[in-house]
Amino acid sequence: MSEPLPPQSDLVRLFAEIAPRFGLSRPAGQCLAAIWRAAQAPSAEMLTEELGLSRTNVSVALKELRGAGLVRAARSPGSRRDYFVAEADPWALLRALLTERHRRDIAPVADSLARLDSPDPRIAPLAAMVTQAAEWFGQLAQLAPEDLARTLAAAPEGRKKKKKRDKD
């Protein structure tokens, strides 16, 4: 059995804070952090104890994480208990998050706009733009983790801040 994590470790708090930005619940973020950093795969009961969450919150969070492809259940030989593991590669986690976000949020918006019947001439270009962005996002989400890392590393940087010139 692994050493229990502190109930509110910095990583657990951080994952809980950023999880909603990726369309996940805070408890799902906490569980993902605990599973990802665990030396040995924790069970739902272990997560309940370590995180101080209710059994219901942990069960719902694990269902959410499994549905998003972020964790999977594994069994130990001779045990009926499920233990949960997450991909160790952070790029693989990002890929799973992008895939889920595309499936749940981006593709439905593009589909809704494409089906929208409106006399407003601005709708068709908006639908085309969102469809193109959704397709790009979908392609990004399908990249292998190492290709995703290379693609994001090669992405152009945002606007650079102008340097202040010293007055002579």
Side-chain angles (χ1 to χ4, degrees), residues 38-82:
Q40 293 181 340
S43 66
E45 292 76 19
M46 293 166 76
L47 291 170
T48 299
E49 289 176 25
E50 292 172 3
L51 299 171
L53 296 173
S54 72
R55 179 69 170 108
T56 302
N57 273 350
V58 169
S59 292
V60 170
L62 289 171
K63 183 177 180 182
E64 185 179 351
L65 292 170
R66 289 174 79 179
L70 291 164
V71 300
R72 65 184 184 286
R75 289 233 168 119
S76 222
S79 174
R80 293 180 14 180
R81 183 174 288 176
D82 283 335

Side-chain angles (χ1 to χ4, degrees), residues 12 18 21 50 67 80 87 124 129 138 147 165:
V12 169
I18 64 173
R21 294 180 179 111
E50 292 172 3
R80 293 180 14 180
E87 183 68 49
M129 180 273 303
D147 294 333
R165 287 197 265 181

Side-chain angles (χ1 to χ4, degrees), residues 81-143:
R81 183 174 288 176
D82 283 335
Y83 293 88
F84 297 91
V85 293
E87 183 68 49
D89 180 5
W91 290 103
L93 288 179
L94 177 61
R95 180 178 180 256
L97 285 167
L98 292 174
T99 300
E100 179 63 7
R101 196 59 180 221
H102 181 265
R103 182 193 67 79
R104 191 173 21 178
D105 298 322
I106 297 171
V109 169
D111 292 343
S112 294
L113 272 171
R115 288 191 310 267
L116 191 62
D117 186 23
S118 172
D120 187 335
R122 298 173 295 179
I123 297 299
L126 175 64
M129 180 273 303
V130 171
T131 297
Q132 186 175 0
E135 288 170 359
W136 176 83
F137 198 88
Q139 290 169 358
L140 190 64
Q142 296 305 311
L143 291 176

